[in-house]
């Protein structure tokens, strides 16, 4: 009896703390708290599912599955016979789902079918269920080229279904459906039979929604520079023109920023190397200190770093997540004209005469920046004729001095 009383109290709290629904067909919101129905049009509610990822990320393919657990019927503990089961509801996602992007965050949102669709309730009364999302359904890639991580929702909701008799007295219909977040008291531990207990930190909203966060990273392999699967950022220096000095270093200032969506496991620093003619080199001569024996050094998101590059050298990021951004600028050098060609997410741009590159997203496909410095050949000018008289005077003076010395030597020999 004590257990039944606790469950009945929980059911009452579902109603008392605010029911977050709208009218039929339902998308839950705080504006109108209950989804009400009639015999002709029973109450209807759907689950809102959100996949959140950095801008520029291709949506992962998979299925979000939501499981329902019967809790109480008219305050009595649910059994296999006194309460109908609500089957798992599934929402499918594909790589073609475009979603919407705001402030660097891409969100793909979909709805389930009516959660009580096809359910026959045996009698009028109050039925309470819990609903949670399974922590599976998306196959993630983790190999030498790509890593994928997803944080699944841990939300738990109470769903209250009020069932009424039809006018003819021959059956029932769903009169209302109400949903409430499960919010445990501070330090409390509540056991819900058959259900996962999650917490409501407000991050996923209050619209009967479940949110997963997803991050993908394409890895550059510094030991296999010719790998065509390497799409992370590469910034290359090219010197051109008959007067270009291939041994001269040019100074770059680069800032890499983390994507707008990160996970607890997302690295707080990224790895990078300097390469010359597709081989990793010791970056000490490039002004980089602290590199390991493998020549890998770290880059801190949001903090500018300086690197010096000469002809055919590149700075290469190894593990910046998709959706990261970067800016780059090169210090101007006298007698050189700077221009660049940028490839962003596999799309090559045209040559731009500038030494500064605006913020650009690191996308799923190739991300390259080639900065070219061109110096024309030096034009021969010959001897400046306005100085010729002075040059002739100097020649005659030297010749005269030589004649005097030879005469002196001759007298000394004869004497």
């Amino acid at each position: 009896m004590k257990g039944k009383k606790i469950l009945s109290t929980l059911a009452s709290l579902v109603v008392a703390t605010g029911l977050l629904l709208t009218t039929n067909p339902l998308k839950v919101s705080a504006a109108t708290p209950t989804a009400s129905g009639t015999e002709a049009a029973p109450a209807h509610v759907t689950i809102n599912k959100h996949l959140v990822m950095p801008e520029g990320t291709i949506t992962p393919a998979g299925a979000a599955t939501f499981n329902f657990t019967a809790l109480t019927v008219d305050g009595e503990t649910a059994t296999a016979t006194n309460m109908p089961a609500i089957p798992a509801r599934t929402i499918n996602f594909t790589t073609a789902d475009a979603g919407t992007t705001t402030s660097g965050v891409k969100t793909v949102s979909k709805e389930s079918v009516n959660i009580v669709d096809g359910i026959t309730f045996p009698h009028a009364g109050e039925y309470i269920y819990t609903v949670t999302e399974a922590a599976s359904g998306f196959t993630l890639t983790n190999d030498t080229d790509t890593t994928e991580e997803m944080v699944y929702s841990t939300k738990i909701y109470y769903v209250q279904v009020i069932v009424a008799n039809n006018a003819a007295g021959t059956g029932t219909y769903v009169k209302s459906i109400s949903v409430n977040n499960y919010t445990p008291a501070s330090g409390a531990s509540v056991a819900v039979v058959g259900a996962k207990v999650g917490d409501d930190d407000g991050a996923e909203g209050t619209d009967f929604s479940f949110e997963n966060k997803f991050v993908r990273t394409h890895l550059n392999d510094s030991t296999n520079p010719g790998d065509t699967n390497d799409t992370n950022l590469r910034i290359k220096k090219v010197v051109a023109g008959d007067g270009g000095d291939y041994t001269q270093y040019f100074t770059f200032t680069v800032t890499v920023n983390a994507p707008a969506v990160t996970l607890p496991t997302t690295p707080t620093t990224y790895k990078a190397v300097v390469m010359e003619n597709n081989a990793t080199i010791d970056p000490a001569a490039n002004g980089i200190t602290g590199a390991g024996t493998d020549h890998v050094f770290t880059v801190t998101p949001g903090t500018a770093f300086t690197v010096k590059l000469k002809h055919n050298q590149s700075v290469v990021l190894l593990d910046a997540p998709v959706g990261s951004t970067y800016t780059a600028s090169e210090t101007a050098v006298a007698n050189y004209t700077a221009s660049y060609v940028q490839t962003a997410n596999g799309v090559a741009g045209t040559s731009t005469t500038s030494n500064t590159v605006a913020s650009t997203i690191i996308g799923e496909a190739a991300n390259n920046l080639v900065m070219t410095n061109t110096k024309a050949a030096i034009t021969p000018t010959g001897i400046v004729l306005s100085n010729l008289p002075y040059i002739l005077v100097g020649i005659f003076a030297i010749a005269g001095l030589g004649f005097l010395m030879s005469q002196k030597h001759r007298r000394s020999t004869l004497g």
Side-chain angles (χ1 to χ4, degrees):
M1 288 298 294
K2 186 176 180 181
K4 294 179 181 178
K5 186 175 181 180
I6 292 174
L7 293 173
S8 180
T9 301
L10 288 173
S12 298
L13 287 173
V14 171
V15 179
T17 55
L19 309 173
L20 308 171
L21 306 178
T22 64
T23 55
N24 183 34
L26 180 66
K27 288 185 78 173
V28 185
S29 74
T32 50
T34 301
S36 299
T38 65
E39 185 175 341
H44 176 117
V45 64
T46 59
I47 297 171
N48 297 305
K49 179 61 194 175
H50 308 301
L51 292 185
V52 178
M53 63 204 81
E55 180 179 4
T57 304
I58 296 174
T59 303
T65 300
F66 304 92
N67 298 312
F68 295 81
T69 300
L71 195 60
T72 66
V73 51
D74 293 330
E76 299 292 325
T77 302
T79 68
T81 58
N82 69 358
M83 197 168 171
I86 298 178
R89 303 301 187 184
T90 300
I91 301 175
N92 295 307
F93 292 85
T94 72
T95 56
D97 293 332
T100 59
T101 300
T102 303
S103 301
V105 178
K106 174 182 173 180
T107 303
V108 180
S109 300
K110 292 189 174 184
E111 292 182 64
S112 71
V113 299
N114 176 17
I115 63 173
V116 294
D117 188 32
I119 305 300
T120 300
F121 291 91
H123 59 81
E126 176 197 59
Y127 299 79
I128 295 180
Y129 299 82
T130 59
V131 57
T132 56
E133 181 180 356
S136 60
F138 292 83
T139 301
L140 304 179
T141 300
N142 285 282
D143 55 28
T144 56
D145 294 316
T146 304
T147 64
E148 296 180 339
E149 296 181 278
M150 180 174 287
V151 173
Y152 289 88
S153 173
T154 58
K155 290 289 288 279
I156 179 170
Y157 289 95
Y158 289 118
V159 178
Q160 179 201 50
V161 182
I162 301 298
V163 176
N165 293 315
N166 62 18
T170 58
T172 62
Y173 71 94
V174 177
K175 184 177 181 179
S176 70
I177 304 177
S178 303
V179 176
N180 193 65
N181 294 323
Y182 168 72
T183 306
S186 178
S189 177
V190 180
V192 180
V193 177
K196 171 181 62 178
V197 177
D199 66 333
D200 175 25
D201 59 6
E204 297 181 45
T206 55
D207 62 343
F208 196 23
S209 65
F210 295 81
E211 177 183 289
N212 291 8
K213 291 184 176 181
F214 175 77
V215 172
R216 179 183 290 117
T217 302
H218 294 291
L219 306 173
N220 280 351
D221 184 359
S222 61
T223 64
N224 183 18
D227 190 347
T228 57
N229 292 318
D230 287 356
T231 61
N232 222 306
L233 179 63
R234 294 173 180 264
I235 299 176
K236 183 177 181 179
K237 161 53 53 190
V238 171
V239 175
D242 292 342
D245 183 353
Y246 290 171
T247 66
Q248 182 171 349
Y249 285 89
F250 297 80
T251 302
F252 285 80
T253 300
V254 181
T255 302
V256 181
N257 293 300
V261 177
T262 59
L263 305 180
T265 54
T266 302
T268 56
T269 59
Y270 305 147
K271 297 176 181 178
V273 293
V274 173
M275 305 185 78
E276 183 172 356
N277 295 319
N278 284 331
T280 303
I281 64 172
D282 184 343
N286 305 94
I288 300 296
T289 59
T293 55
D294 55 359
H295 305 322
V296 175
F297 61 94
T298 59
V299 173
T300 301
T303 301
F305 71 95
T306 299
V307 59
K308 298 177 181 179
L309 301 175
K310 64 180 181 178
H311 181 63
N312 272 345
Q313 288 187 337
S314 304
V315 59
V316 180
L317 288 182
L318 303 181
D319 59 352
V322 172
S324 300
T325 60
Y326 77 96
T327 60
S329 63
E330 182 189 69
T331 302
V333 177
N335 300 319
Y336 282 90
T337 300
S339 63
Y340 68 84
V341 174
Q342 185 181 47
T343 299
N345 196 23
V347 179
T350 57
S351 180
T352 301
T353 302
S354 176
N355 61 352
T356 301
V357 179
S359 180
T360 303
I361 291 175
I362 299 174
E364 298 267 15
N367 301 276
N368 300 321
L369 173 66
V370 179
M371 182 71 74
T372 300
N373 288 73
T374 304
K375 184 179 181 181
I378 299 174
T379 302
T381 59
I383 298 173
V384 180
L385 296 180
S386 60
N387 294 330
L388 184 58
Y390 303 99
I391 295 173
L392 293 176
V393 169
I395 293 173
F396 289 141
I398 294 172
L401 180 61
F403 176 76
L404 292 174
M405 291 181 66
S406 64
Q407 289 297 315
K408 183 177 180 181
H409 178 71
R410 183 182 178 189
R411 292 193 194 98
S412 174
T413 304
L414 293 175

PDB file of all heavy atoms in Angstrom, residues 350-377:
ATOM      1  N   THR A 350      38.545  31.128 -56.255  1.00  0.00           N
ATOM      2  CA  THR A 350      39.429  31.747 -57.241  1.00  0.00           C
ATOM      3  C   THR A 350      40.562  32.478 -56.532  1.00  0.00           C
ATOM      4  O   THR A 350      40.501  32.739 -55.329  1.00  0.00           O
ATOM      5  CB  THR A 350      38.650  32.732 -58.116  1.00  0.00           C
ATOM      6  OG1 THR A 350      38.028  33.721 -57.275  1.00  0.00           O
ATOM      7  CG2 THR A 350      37.574  31.999 -58.910  1.00  0.00           C
ATOM      8  N   SER A 351      41.589  32.822 -57.284  1.00  0.00           N
ATOM      9  CA  SER A 351      42.744  33.508 -56.714  1.00  0.00           C
ATOM     10  C   SER A 351      42.337  34.894 -56.216  1.00  0.00           C
ATOM     11  O   SER A 351      41.670  35.653 -56.934  1.00  0.00           O
ATOM     12  CB  SER A 351      43.859  33.620 -57.748  1.00  0.00           C
ATOM     13  OG  SER A 351      44.973  34.285 -57.193  1.00  0.00           O
ATOM     14  N   THR A 352      42.744  35.215 -54.994  1.00  0.00           N
ATOM     15  CA  THR A 352      42.432  36.505 -54.372  1.00  0.00           C
ATOM     16  C   THR A 352      43.724  37.195 -53.987  1.00  0.00           C
ATOM     17  O   THR A 352      44.573  36.609 -53.303  1.00  0.00           O
ATOM     18  CB  THR A 352      41.565  36.301 -53.116  1.00  0.00           C
ATOM     19  OG1 THR A 352      40.356  35.633 -53.487  1.00  0.00           O
ATOM     20  CG2 THR A 352      41.227  37.633 -52.468  1.00  0.00           C
ATOM     21  N   THR A 353      43.879  38.424 -54.419  1.00  0.00           N
ATOM     22  CA  THR A 353      45.090  39.171 -54.085  1.00  0.00           C
ATOM     23  C   THR A 353      44.942  39.766 -52.694  1.00  0.00           C
ATOM     24  O   THR A 353      44.330  40.802 -52.488  1.00  0.00           O
ATOM     25  CB  THR A 353      45.338  40.294 -55.106  1.00  0.00           C
ATOM     26  OG1 THR A 353      45.435  39.715 -56.416  1.00  0.00           O
ATOM     27  CG2 THR A 353      46.634  41.032 -54.789  1.00  0.00           C
ATOM     28  N   SER A 354      45.493  39.081 -51.725  1.00  0.00           N
ATOM     29  CA  SER A 354      45.430  39.504 -50.324  1.00  0.00           C
ATOM     30  C   SER A 354      46.326  38.592 -49.514  1.00  0.00           C
ATOM     31  O   SER A 354      46.655  37.480 -49.942  1.00  0.00           O
ATOM     32  CB  SER A 354      43.989  39.425 -49.805  1.00  0.00           C
ATOM     33  OG  SER A 354      43.933  39.755 -48.432  1.00  0.00           O
ATOM     34  N   ASN A 355      46.721  39.056 -48.342  1.00  0.00           N
ATOM     35  CA  ASN A 355      47.495  38.204 -47.434  1.00  0.00           C
ATOM     36  C   ASN A 355      46.693  37.870 -46.178  1.00  0.00           C
ATOM     37  O   ASN A 355      47.248  37.371 -45.203  1.00  0.00           O
ATOM     38  CB  ASN A 355      48.813  38.872 -47.052  1.00  0.00           C
ATOM     39  CG  ASN A 355      48.608  40.191 -46.325  1.00  0.00           C
ATOM     40  OD1 ASN A 355      47.486  40.689 -46.227  1.00  0.00           O
ATOM     41  ND2 ASN A 355      49.692  40.773 -45.829  1.00  0.00           N
ATOM     42  N   THR A 356      45.364  38.126 -46.199  1.00  0.00           N
ATOM     43  CA  THR A 356      44.504  37.869 -45.046  1.00  0.00           C
ATOM     44  C   THR A 356      43.297  37.049 -45.474  1.00  0.00           C
ATOM     45  O   THR A 356      42.615  37.380 -46.448  1.00  0.00           O
ATOM     46  CB  THR A 356      44.022  39.187 -44.418  1.00  0.00           C
ATOM     47  OG1 THR A 356      45.166  39.944 -44.010  1.00  0.00           O
ATOM     48  CG2 THR A 356      43.140  38.923 -43.209  1.00  0.00           C
ATOM     49  N   VAL A 357      43.020  35.977 -44.732  1.00  0.00           N
ATOM     50  CA  VAL A 357      41.906  35.082 -45.032  1.00  0.00           C
ATOM     51  C   VAL A 357      40.883  35.186 -43.908  1.00  0.00           C
ATOM     52  O   VAL A 357      41.211  35.001 -42.733  1.00  0.00           O
ATOM     53  CB  VAL A 357      42.390  33.626 -45.174  1.00  0.00           C
ATOM     54  CG1 VAL A 357      41.223  32.696 -45.472  1.00  0.00           C
ATOM     55  CG2 VAL A 357      43.439  33.532 -46.270  1.00  0.00           C
ATOM     56  N   ALA A 358      39.632  35.480 -44.268  1.00  0.00           N
ATOM     57  CA  ALA A 358      38.564  35.629 -43.279  1.00  0.00           C
ATOM     58  C   ALA A 358      38.185  34.276 -42.684  1.00  0.00           C
ATOM     59  O   ALA A 358      38.574  33.218 -43.186  1.00  0.00           O
ATOM     60  CB  ALA A 358      37.345  36.278 -43.934  1.00  0.00           C
ATOM     61  N   SER A 359      37.405  34.319 -41.615  1.00  0.00           N
ATOM     62  CA  SER A 359      36.987  33.104 -40.914  1.00  0.00           C
ATOM     63  C   SER A 359      36.300  32.134 -41.866  1.00  0.00           C
ATOM     64  O   SER A 359      35.374  32.499 -42.598  1.00  0.00           O
ATOM     65  CB  SER A 359      36.049  33.471 -39.768  1.00  0.00           C
ATOM     66  OG  SER A 359      35.641  32.308 -39.072  1.00  0.00           O
ATOM     67  N   THR A 360      36.766  30.884 -41.841  1.00  0.00           N
ATOM     68  CA  THR A 360      36.264  29.859 -42.762  1.00  0.00           C
ATOM     69  C   THR A 360      36.031  28.568 -41.989  1.00  0.00           C
ATOM     70  O   THR A 360      36.833  28.188 -41.138  1.00  0.00           O
ATOM     71  CB  THR A 360      37.279  29.601 -43.891  1.00  0.00           C
ATOM     72  OG1 THR A 360      37.542  30.838 -44.569  1.00  0.00           O
ATOM     73  CG2 THR A 360      36.742  28.593 -44.888  1.00  0.00           C
ATOM     74  N   ILE A 361      34.924  27.878 -42.303  1.00  0.00           N
ATOM     75  CA  ILE A 361      34.596  26.618 -41.634  1.00  0.00           C
ATOM     76  C   ILE A 361      35.445  25.484 -42.201  1.00  0.00           C
ATOM     77  O   ILE A 361      35.678  25.412 -43.404  1.00  0.00           O
ATOM     78  CB  ILE A 361      33.106  26.284 -41.808  1.00  0.00           C
ATOM     79  CG1 ILE A 361      32.248  27.272 -41.023  1.00  0.00           C
ATOM     80  CG2 ILE A 361      32.792  24.870 -41.368  1.00  0.00           C
ATOM     81  CD1 ILE A 361      30.764  27.082 -41.231  1.00  0.00           C
ATOM     82  N   ILE A 362      35.893  24.619 -41.324  1.00  0.00           N
ATOM     83  CA  ILE A 362      36.561  23.380 -41.727  1.00  0.00           C
ATOM     84  C   ILE A 362      35.462  22.337 -41.913  1.00  0.00           C
ATOM     85  O   ILE A 362      34.853  21.882 -40.943  1.00  0.00           O
ATOM     86  CB  ILE A 362      37.589  22.930 -40.672  1.00  0.00           C
ATOM     87  CG1 ILE A 362      38.674  23.996 -40.506  1.00  0.00           C
ATOM     88  CG2 ILE A 362      38.205  21.587 -41.062  1.00  0.00           C
ATOM     89  CD1 ILE A 362      39.652  23.710 -39.390  1.00  0.00           C
ATOM     90  N   GLY A 363      35.184  21.989 -43.176  1.00  0.00           N
ATOM     91  CA  GLY A 363      34.057  21.120 -43.481  1.00  0.00           C
ATOM     92  C   GLY A 363      34.441  19.660 -43.626  1.00  0.00           C
ATOM     93  O   GLY A 363      35.550  19.235 -43.279  1.00  0.00           O
ATOM     94  N   GLU A 364      33.494  18.886 -44.182  1.00  0.00           N
ATOM     95  CA  GLU A 364      33.678  17.439 -44.309  1.00  0.00           C
ATOM     96  C   GLU A 364      34.679  17.070 -45.402  1.00  0.00           C
ATOM     97  O   GLU A 364      35.424  16.113 -45.274  1.00  0.00           O
ATOM     98  CB  GLU A 364      32.325  16.785 -44.645  1.00  0.00           C
ATOM     99  CG  GLU A 364      31.250  16.962 -43.588  1.00  0.00           C
ATOM    100  CD  GLU A 364      31.215  15.809 -42.603  1.00  0.00           C
ATOM    101  OE1 GLU A 364      32.182  15.022 -42.570  1.00  0.00           O
ATOM    102  OE2 GLU A 364      30.223  15.703 -41.877  1.00  0.00           O
ATOM    103  N   ALA A 365      34.696  17.848 -46.497  1.00  0.00           N
ATOM    104  CA  ALA A 365      35.590  17.554 -47.620  1.00  0.00           C
ATOM    105  C   ALA A 365      36.901  18.329 -47.460  1.00  0.00           C
ATOM    106  O   ALA A 365      37.193  18.854 -46.386  1.00  0.00           O
ATOM    107  CB  ALA A 365      34.895  17.897 -48.935  1.00  0.00           C
ATOM    108  N   ALA A 366      37.687  18.412 -48.537  1.00  0.00           N
ATOM    109  CA  ALA A 366      39.020  19.015 -48.462  1.00  0.00           C
ATOM    110  C   ALA A 366      38.969  20.472 -48.005  1.00  0.00           C
ATOM    111  O   ALA A 366      38.090  21.241 -48.411  1.00  0.00           O
ATOM    112  CB  ALA A 366      39.689  18.922 -49.824  1.00  0.00           C
ATOM    113  N   ASN A 367      39.941  20.836 -47.166  1.00  0.00           N
ATOM    114  CA  ASN A 367      40.051  22.197 -46.645  1.00  0.00           C
ATOM    115  C   ASN A 367      41.513  22.636 -46.765  1.00  0.00           C
ATOM    116  O   ASN A 367      42.348  22.250 -45.950  1.00  0.00           O
ATOM    117  CB  ASN A 367      39.601  22.251 -45.188  1.00  0.00           C
ATOM    118  CG  ASN A 367      38.168  21.779 -45.018  1.00  0.00           C
ATOM    119  OD1 ASN A 367      37.236  22.533 -45.201  1.00  0.00           O
ATOM    120  ND2 ASN A 367      37.996  20.500 -44.679  1.00  0.00           N
ATOM    121  N   ASN A 368      41.787  23.420 -47.816  1.00  0.00           N
ATOM    122  CA  ASN A 368      43.161  23.821 -48.112  1.00  0.00           C
ATOM    123  C   ASN A 368      43.255  25.322 -48.318  1.00  0.00           C
ATOM    124  O   ASN A 368      42.317  25.960 -48.802  1.00  0.00           O
ATOM    125  CB  ASN A 368      43.665  23.128 -49.382  1.00  0.00           C
ATOM    126  CG  ASN A 368      43.651  21.608 -49.270  1.00  0.00           C
ATOM    127  OD1 ASN A 368      43.967  21.065 -48.221  1.00  0.00           O
ATOM    128  ND2 ASN A 368      43.267  20.937 -50.339  1.00  0.00           N
ATOM    129  N   LEU A 369      44.404  25.851 -47.965  1.00  0.00           N
ATOM    130  CA  LEU A 369      44.719  27.244 -48.259  1.00  0.00           C
ATOM    131  C   LEU A 369      46.128  27.281 -48.837  1.00  0.00           C
ATOM    132  O   LEU A 369      47.073  26.798 -48.206  1.00  0.00           O
ATOM    133  CB  LEU A 369      44.656  28.104 -46.996  1.00  0.00           C
ATOM    134  CG  LEU A 369      45.133  29.551 -47.135  1.00  0.00           C
ATOM    135  CD1 LEU A 369      44.205  30.335 -48.060  1.00  0.00           C
ATOM    136  CD2 LEU A 369      45.222  30.244 -45.777  1.00  0.00           C
ATOM    137  N   VAL A 370      46.263  27.827 -50.053  1.00  0.00           N
ATOM    138  CA  VAL A 370      47.576  27.978 -50.684  1.00  0.00           C
ATOM    139  C   VAL A 370      47.857  29.469 -50.806  1.00  0.00           C
ATOM    140  O   VAL A 370      47.171  30.182 -51.535  1.00  0.00           O
ATOM    141  CB  VAL A 370      47.621  27.304 -52.068  1.00  0.00           C
ATOM    142  CG1 VAL A 370      49.004  27.512 -52.699  1.00  0.00           C
ATOM    143  CG2 VAL A 370      47.301  25.815 -51.945  1.00  0.00           C
ATOM    144  N   MET A 371      48.858  29.945 -50.054  1.00  0.00           N
ATOM    145  CA  MET A 371      49.254  31.348 -50.084  1.00  0.00           C
ATOM    146  C   MET A 371      50.502  31.473 -50.960  1.00  0.00           C
ATOM    147  O   MET A 371      51.532  30.859 -50.681  1.00  0.00           O
ATOM    148  CB  MET A 371      49.552  31.860 -48.675  1.00  0.00           C
ATOM    149  CG  MET A 371      49.919  33.330 -48.600  1.00  0.00           C
ATOM    150  SD  MET A 371      48.525  34.449 -48.904  1.00  0.00           S
ATOM    151  CE  MET A 371      47.602  34.288 -47.369  1.00  0.00           C
ATOM    152  N   THR A 372      50.382  32.257 -52.027  1.00  0.00           N
ATOM    153  CA  THR A 372      51.476  32.415 -52.979  1.00  0.00           C
ATOM    154  C   THR A 372      52.059  33.821 -52.886  1.00  0.00           C
ATOM    155  O   THR A 372      51.317  34.806 -52.867  1.00  0.00           O
ATOM    156  CB  THR A 372      50.990  32.168 -54.414  1.00  0.00           C
ATOM    157  OG1 THR A 372      50.470  30.838 -54.511  1.00  0.00           O
ATOM    158  CG2 THR A 372      52.122  32.335 -55.421  1.00  0.00           C
ATOM    159  N   ASN A 373      53.393  33.897 -52.818  1.00  0.00           N
ATOM    160  CA  ASN A 373      54.097  35.186 -52.844  1.00  0.00           C
ATOM    161  C   ASN A 373      54.920  35.251 -54.127  1.00  0.00           C
ATOM    162  O   ASN A 373      55.774  34.393 -54.374  1.00  0.00           O
ATOM    163  CB  ASN A 373      55.008  35.336 -51.628  1.00  0.00           C
ATOM    164  CG  ASN A 373      54.204  35.552 -50.358  1.00  0.00           C
ATOM    165  OD1 ASN A 373      53.583  34.629 -49.866  1.00  0.00           O
ATOM    166  ND2 ASN A 373      54.211  36.767 -49.841  1.00  0.00           N
ATOM    167  N   THR A 374      54.653  36.262 -54.925  1.00  0.00           N
ATOM    168  CA  THR A 374      55.283  36.393 -56.238  1.00  0.00           C
ATOM    169  C   THR A 374      56.220  37.585 -56.258  1.00  0.00           C
ATOM    170  O   THR A 374      55.858  38.683 -55.827  1.00  0.00           O
ATOM    171  CB  THR A 374      54.214  36.552 -57.330  1.00  0.00           C
ATOM    172  OG1 THR A 374      53.306  35.445 -57.259  1.00  0.00           O
ATOM    173  CG2 THR A 374      54.850  36.600 -58.703  1.00  0.00           C
ATOM    174  N   LYS A 375      57.425  37.339 -56.795  1.00  0.00           N
ATOM    175  CA  LYS A 375      58.413  38.419 -56.920  1.00  0.00           C
ATOM    176  C   LYS A 375      58.993  38.370 -58.330  1.00  0.00           C
ATOM    177  O   LYS A 375      59.502  37.336 -58.770  1.00  0.00           O
ATOM    178  CB  LYS A 375      59.523  38.278 -55.888  1.00  0.00           C
ATOM    179  CG  LYS A 375      60.532  39.415 -55.904  1.00  0.00           C
ATOM    180  CD  LYS A 375      61.595  39.218 -54.820  1.00  0.00           C
ATOM    181  CE  LYS A 375      62.600  40.358 -54.798  1.00  0.00           C
ATOM    182  NZ  LYS A 375      63.645  40.164 -53.760  1.00  0.00           N
ATOM    183  N   ALA A 376      58.908  39.480 -59.028  1.00  0.00           N
ATOM    184  CA  ALA A 376      59.434  39.538 -60.392  1.00  0.00           C
ATOM    185  C   ALA A 376      60.955  39.536 -60.372  1.00  0.00           C
ATOM    186  O   ALA A 376      61.597  39.866 -59.373  1.00  0.00           O
ATOM    187  CB  ALA A 376      58.922  40.792 -61.091  1.00  0.00           C
ATOM    188  N   ALA A 377      61.554  39.168 -61.514  1.00  0.00           N
ATOM    189  CA  ALA A 377      63.017  39.171 -61.626  1.00  0.00           C
ATOM    190  C   ALA A 377      63.546  40.603 -61.541  1.00  0.00           C
ATOM    191  O   ALA A 377      62.881  41.560 -61.943  1.00  0.00           O
ATOM    192  CB  ALA A 377      63.432  38.540 -62.944  1.00  0.00           C
TER     193      ALA A 377
END
